[in-house]
Amino acid sequence: MSQQNKQWAAIIVMIALFAMIAFVTNLCSPMGVIVKNQFGTTNFMAMIGNYGNFMAYLVMGFPAGMCIQKYGYKKTALIGLLVGIVGILVQWLSGWGGMAVYLVGALISGCCMCILNTVVNPMLNLLGGGGNKGNQLIQTGGVFNSSAAVAVYIIMGALIGDAAKAKIADATPALMIALAIFVIAFIVIFFTKIEEPVQAKKETAKQKDAHSAFSFRHFNLGILAIGLYGGVEMGIPGFILQYLTAAPDAATPGLAMDAGYAGTLGSIYFLLMLVGRFIGASVGAKVSTKAMMTFVAGLAIVLLLLGIYLPTSTTVSVPGIDYAYMKVMWGEVPVGIFCFLLVGLCASVMWGGIFNLATEGLGKYTAIASGAFMTMVCGFAIMVAVQGWVADITGSYLTSYWVPLLCAAYILYYALIGSKNVNTDIPVD
């Protein structure tokens, strides 16, 4: 029996963890509606869960890699799951403990997500035996990752109900789902025998390399692009739910739509990301990364401009799902919001595209470059914070969408110009 068949339980759990990374990470955005209501915060502070979650990557990126080197993948995964269990419980207790407790819970959960992100991809490759099978498992995990992002917006939209009365207690079912999967995953992984890859031994002292990944201009511009990409992936759907559910007479006016239906709209963004990943995979062998990134970044800019400037009185029918009765429901939303949602198709291939362009030609420096990319996830928190701040000072959610638009503009610049390797004289063998 093959190694993959022997460890089917671990494979299923790793794919489930792949999904839970997206579930817990994207939980922060709809939780912003609850935080804003329960604690009476500004738009900037309402997204504090995102800040804590993503800033944790800056702290845990390199330690997670060191943990794998010292303890191996299995023990590191178990550590990550224990951290995740604590983080979920602390977020749940914040309903009684206050906003500071919620932030601590988000930070702890973010540390868990960073650890699991560092473990899951190589573990799936290992369990699949490497090569095509390993890559197939990773791609399967990516599909479940996108599906979980869709699910969390739908579930949270249904749980929030009336945004004006939303409390953290309303999110208990979603938090308990995450908690249960973490506990089950811990038990299964603990009792599953997993063969660890041989860790590279530390080399004896030698002359220090005069160069590093940071010696390459296109890499430095690339990690900046990854940080700004957070404004596109998280900023766009993160504020749609707030805009649609906020009262017309609020400090930052909204459209006062039903949160249950509006939650399904947030999920459409990630559903379109899922579709985009399938499309990107099918044309990736025929279209260069530079051409693909140029197209999607340019299209994202057009869609964001349309979303900002099209009149809100112009509406389009968009389907949602009533999960209480399991039926399709239709609602009228501004066509500009639909344009925002379509950006999900563009965002779907940006992470991988930027990574490929930024690490092209790095050779032996690619490994440390990958670690730097993980720490730059903190840019997701920074860009969401900037967008929330813009919404507060301008009193307009639509105006705040200039933040992801400018992020997309930089990504377009990077695809066209910044991604060129001008340091080809540096030896990489």
Side-chain angles (χ1 to χ4, degrees), residues 55-88:
M55 290 305 292
Y57 280 78
L58 186 62
V59 177
M60 284 303 300
F62 290 112
M66 294 170 62
C67 194
I68 291 175
Q69 187 176 19
K70 184 173 182 179
Y71 299 112
Y73 286 93
K74 178 177 176 177
K75 290 183 179 179
T76 302
L78 293 174
I79 292 171
L81 288 168
L82 286 175
V83 173
I85 290 170
V86 173
I88 293 295

Side-chain angles (χ1 to χ4, degrees), residues 206-227:
K206 62 179 181 179
Q207 185 176 1
K208 185 178 180 181
D209 196 331
H211 301 286
S212 71
F214 298 100
S215 301
F216 293 82
R217 190 197 73 165
H218 75 289
F219 172 70
N220 294 325
L221 294 177
I223 59 175
L224 175 58
I226 281 292

Side-chain angles (χ1 to χ4, degrees), residues 91-107:
Q91 288 187 71
W92 178 61
L93 291 172
S94 67
W96 295 272
M99 195 166 181
V101 177
Y102 176 72
L103 175 58
V104 171
L107 281 166

Side-chain angles (χ1 to χ4, degrees), residues 52-264:
N53 199 302
F54 291 123
M55 290 305 292
Y57 280 78
L58 186 62
V59 177
M60 284 303 300
F62 290 112
M66 294 170 62
C67 194
I68 291 175
Q69 187 176 19
K70 184 173 182 179
Y71 299 112
Y73 286 93
K74 178 177 176 177
K75 290 183 179 179
T76 302
L78 293 174
I79 292 171
L81 288 168
L82 286 175
V83 173
I85 290 170
V86 173
I88 293 295
L89 287 174
V90 172
Q91 288 187 71
W92 178 61
L93 291 172
S94 67
W96 295 272
M99 195 166 181
V101 177
Y102 176 72
L103 175 58
V104 171
L107 281 166
I108 297 173
S109 294
C111 290
C112 165
M113 297 304 103
C114 181
I115 294 171
L116 294 182
N117 257 318
T118 309
V119 169
V120 168
N121 282 282
M123 273 296 293
L124 279 176
N125 187 57
L126 172 67
L127 291 167
N132 292 337
K133 288 292 185 180
N135 181 61
Q136 184 180 39
L137 286 180
I138 292 174
Q139 296 304 321
T140 302
V143 171
F144 278 86
N145 182 274
S146 295
S147 300
V150 174
V152 73
Y153 273 85
I154 294 173
I155 292 172
M156 288 300 293
L159 292 175
I160 289 173
D162 185 351
K165 300 178 181 178
K167 302 290 183 182
I168 288 178
D170 297 330
T172 296
L175 293 171
M176 292 303 107
I177 289 173
L179 181 65
I181 292 182
F182 281 156
V183 171
I184 293 171
F186 183 90
I187 294 172
V188 173
I189 292 177
F190 184 84
F191 288 104
T192 300
K193 184 178 179 180
I194 300 176
E195 291 187 9
E196 296 279 350
V198 178
Q199 299 291 341
K201 295 181 179 180
K202 292 184 178 180
E203 298 181 5
T204 56
K206 62 179 181 179
Q207 185 176 1
K208 185 178 180 181
D209 196 331
H211 301 286
S212 71
F214 298 100
S215 301
F216 293 82
R217 190 197 73 165
H218 75 289
F219 172 70
N220 294 325
L221 294 177
I223 59 175
L224 175 58
I226 281 292
L228 294 177
Y229 163 69
V232 178
E233 179 177 330
M234 298 305 300
I236 293 174
F239 287 92
I240 284 178
L241 184 58
Q242 291 198 48
Y243 173 54
L244 294 180
T245 57
D249 58 350
T252 310
L255 301 181
M257 292 179 61
D258 175 70
Y261 171 70
T264 66

Side-chain angles (χ1 to χ4, degrees), residues 324-371:
Y325 300 97
M326 292 306 297
K327 64 179 183 180
V328 175
M329 56 182 179
W330 290 82
E332 294 289 325
V333 300
V335 68
I337 295 298
F338 187 64
C339 289
F340 288 155
L341 296 175
L342 289 176
V343 180
L345 288 169
C346 305
S348 61
V349 298
M350 285 184 175
W351 175 279
I354 295 171
F355 183 87
N356 287 339
L357 291 173
T359 57
E360 183 70 24
L362 295 188
K364 64 182 180 180
Y365 302 113
T366 302
I368 190 64
S370 299

Side-chain angles (χ1 to χ4, degrees), residues 131 179 217 274 316 405:
L179 181 65
R217 190 197 73 165
L274 176 61
V316 61
L405 190 151

